[in-house]
Amino acid sequence: MEFNSVQAVYLQISHDIQSDIFRNYDIHDKIPSEAQLSKKYNVTRSTIQKALKELEESGVIYKVHGKGSFVKAKSPKINMFTFSGFSDYVRKMGGDAVTKVLSQEVLQQKGKKIFKLHRLRGVKINGAITWMTIDLSLLDLHHFPNLDKNDFATHSLYDTIRTNYDVYPCTANLSVHAFLSTEDENRIFNMENSQPLLMVEGIVLSDRGTLVEQVKIIYSNDANFKLVTGI
């Protein structure tokens, strides 16, 4: 496995192990030992321990003292350290991103044409889809002419913006709050009862500081939302 310079090595290993678990293991199967994984990835034992701790905190594995690590869940968990493009994250995780367009339309707001895109985003593992987020995006068509002509059921929004418009989403200014899920969210995320979910709202800026989109994202109960901050 070749490591990139963008993400911590232990996180890349964690994603690779998780992908392997989803594809090749069953619940309660034992995964390779720390020594075996250290040899496989050619890293130190402490790096493997960090990767396994990440999987344990995500609810993917559990440890039995003196026996090793075992599979706890085969549905994906998203660890949100920072806000990033969903498709980008899923690719790093080793899965396939799936999108269902719920609705899209062009609105007139203060003399501007605004593209409103409402999507359901999920992860496909072994043919099974787990829906992870409900995304609402608002983009100014003055900056992205004909963006609404694209098929976002098969194309990534951020990939399209980067490729067709040479605009690179870079910074997100967001607020996060919890709310109790409605019947719609329960149905979409296959939950029997209302549960507390997280909603993220705000704006995304490009690497040049220009506005890319306004966003509202609802995360399912399969998402682990972690905040990392300096003190």
Side-chain angles (χ1 to χ4, degrees), residues 5 8 24 26 98 101 145 169 174 182:
S5 60
N24 301 311
D26 292 320
V98 182
V101 176
L174 306 167
T182 66

Side-chain angles (χ1 to χ4, degrees), residues 83-87 98-103 116-122 132-138 157-158 188-189 200 213-220:
F83 181 87
S84 63
F86 185 85
S87 296
V98 182
T99 299
K100 179 179 180 181
V101 176
L102 300 176
S103 65
K116 180 180 179 182
L117 179 62
H118 197 197
R119 296 170 296 167
L120 184 60
R121 317 296 306 282
M132 305 298 292
T133 69
I134 303 171
D135 297 12
L136 178 64
S137 297
L138 298 174
L157 176 62
Y158 281 7
I188 290 172
F189 292 138
V200 171
E213 65 169 334
Q214 298 179 58
V215 295
K216 181 173 77 172
I217 302 174
I218 295 173
Y219 291 88
S220 80

Side-chain angles (χ1 to χ4, degrees), residues 40-168:
K40 175 182 177 180
Y41 293 104
N42 193 28
V43 296
T44 64
R45 190 104 170 230
S46 63
T47 299
I48 294 300
Q49 289 170 348
K50 289 181 180 179
L52 294 179
K53 183 178 180 181
E54 181 70 19
L55 291 172
E56 186 178 18
E57 291 179 351
S58 299
V60 175
I61 65 170
Y62 64 94
K63 292 185 177 181
V64 178
H65 183 68
K67 294 185 177 181
S69 299
F70 299 81
V71 177
K72 183 177 182 180
K74 282 182 63 72
S75 61
K77 297 284 184 179
I78 293 183
N79 284 330
M80 301 303 298
F81 288 92
T82 58
F83 181 87
S84 63
F86 185 85
S87 296
D88 294 337
Y89 181 88
V90 173
R91 279 194 291 264
K92 292 177 183 177
M93 193 184 74
D96 296 317
V98 182
T99 299
K100 179 179 180 181
V101 176
L102 300 176
S103 65
Q104 65 178 69
E105 59 182 320
V106 177
L107 308 174
Q108 290 285 345
Q109 291 185 357
K110 298 180 180 179
K112 296 181 179 180
K113 288 185 177 180
I114 303 297
F115 179 44
K116 180 180 179 182
L117 179 62
H118 197 197
R119 296 170 296 167
L120 184 60
R121 317 296 306 282
V123 178
K124 188 175 184 180
I125 302 287
N126 293 332
I129 298 174
T130 301
W131 296 114
M132 305 298 292
T133 69
I134 303 171
D135 297 12
L136 178 64
S137 297
L138 298 174
L139 303 102
D140 189 340
L141 288 179
H142 173 74
H143 300 300
F144 306 107
N146 298 316
L147 181 66
D148 56 310
K149 308 301 182 185
N150 290 273
D151 179 9
F152 290 110
T154 57
H155 292 84
S156 160
L157 176 62
Y158 281 7
D159 281 351
T160 300
I161 288 173
R162 286 188 287 247
T163 301
N164 296 353
Y165 303 95
D166 195 30
V167 173
Y168 294 83

Side-chain angles (χ1 to χ4, degrees), residues 185-201:
E185 285 93 37
N186 294 345
R187 173 178 51 80
I188 290 172
F189 292 138
N190 195 29
M191 301 183 301
E192 293 184 1
N193 303 304
S194 292
Q195 298 185 31
L197 299 179
L198 285 178
M199 180 187 296
V200 171
E201 295 181 277

Side-chain angles (χ1 to χ4, degrees), residues 196-212:
L197 299 179
L198 285 178
M199 180 187 296
V200 171
E201 295 181 277
I203 60 173
V204 176
L205 303 175
S206 73
D207 56 347
R208 301 168 187 166
T210 59
L211 178 66
V212 175

